[in-house]
Amino acid sequence: MKNKPNENVNKNRIKYIVGIIILIGIIAIIAAGLENEIRNKPKDGEGTGMFEKNSKKITVYIDGKKVKEFKGSNKAKIADKLKNYNWTGGEENVNVSKTDFNIVLDFNNDWCKLYMRKEDKKCILNDSEHELSDDMYDYLISKIDEK
């Protein structure tokens, strides 16, 4: 017996619909895998701290003038030291103007600038005022002053 024209059309339509369903399923599996990859991305570690994110260098400005850049391992050492520093206890939304601080460590990203001055150990990090420990203050000033 010969197939009727309507039966061929129906069989082709079913194959087409099944093919689309399989394609949608494959796309859904790929999308779920990508979402899982994004959600499980590590939140800590090298390259993920605000001192490191998208930052290839640290630029130091004194009184608005660029005086030094740290790149490579020098940048990594400073960023690591700052990343591991205990930044708790800072006052949020301080009324102190950033212009009161003549030293700026710019991490050349959208997350982080550290404002400090030699007169005292106060600094501003992302709109929070902190007082640096003697060790951290001495470390940063020595890095800024070294030739």
Side-chain angles (χ1 to χ4, degrees):
M1 290 186 113
K2 280 190 168 182
N3 287 337
K4 296 179 185 174
N6 274 346
E7 284 180 27
N8 285 336
V9 170
N10 286 339
K11 284 182 181 179
N12 287 340
R13 189 175 290 157
I14 289 171
K15 288 179 184 177
Y16 180 73
I17 291 171
V18 168
I20 289 177
I21 290 172
I22 291 172
L23 184 62
I24 291 172
I26 291 171
I27 291 171
I29 290 169
I30 291 171
L34 288 174
E35 179 191 13
N36 190 32
E37 181 80 23
I38 291 168
R39 284 187 182 205
N40 292 328
K41 199 171 194 178
K43 293 184 173 109
D44 290 328
E46 190 173 321
T48 60
M50 74 175 152
F51 300 106
E52 302 166 304
K53 253 184 188 175
N54 297 333
S55 176
K56 303 255 187 262
K57 63 184 176 182
I58 301 170
T59 307
V60 179
Y61 298 92
I62 297 178
D63 297 323
K65 294 178 185 165
K66 179 178 166 181
V67 295
K68 187 175 267 191
E69 282 186 348
F70 296 102
K71 295 179 181 178
S73 64
N74 289 329
K75 181 244 173 231
K77 287 175 189 173
I78 295 169
D80 190 50
K81 185 127 174 134
L82 289 168
K83 181 179 172 184
N84 293 315
Y85 183 70
N86 182 5
W87 290 101
T88 60
E91 293 181 43
E92 298 278 332
N93 303 318
V94 293
N95 293 327
V96 178
S97 171
K98 291 177 182 173
T99 58
D100 293 339
F101 296 83
N102 62 331
I103 302 171
V104 179
L105 276 74
D106 185 354
F107 290 81
N108 297 294
N109 58 25
D110 295 332
W111 289 279
C112 185
K113 281 187 183 179
L114 178 65
Y115 298 84
M116 29 183 317
R117 54 188 171 205
K118 284 193 175 184
E119 294 81 44
D120 57 23
K121 293 177 179 67
K122 291 197 184 299
C123 69
I124 293 179
L125 175 64
N126 295 343
D127 298 325
S128 293
E129 186 176 5
H130 298 270
E131 185 155 340
L132 295 171
S133 68
D134 291 342
D135 289 344
M136 180 57 81
Y137 174 81
D138 292 342
Y139 175 78
L140 291 173
I141 294 299
S142 71
K143 286 296 189 183
I144 292 167
D145 287 344
E146 79 183 13
K147 301 283 178 189

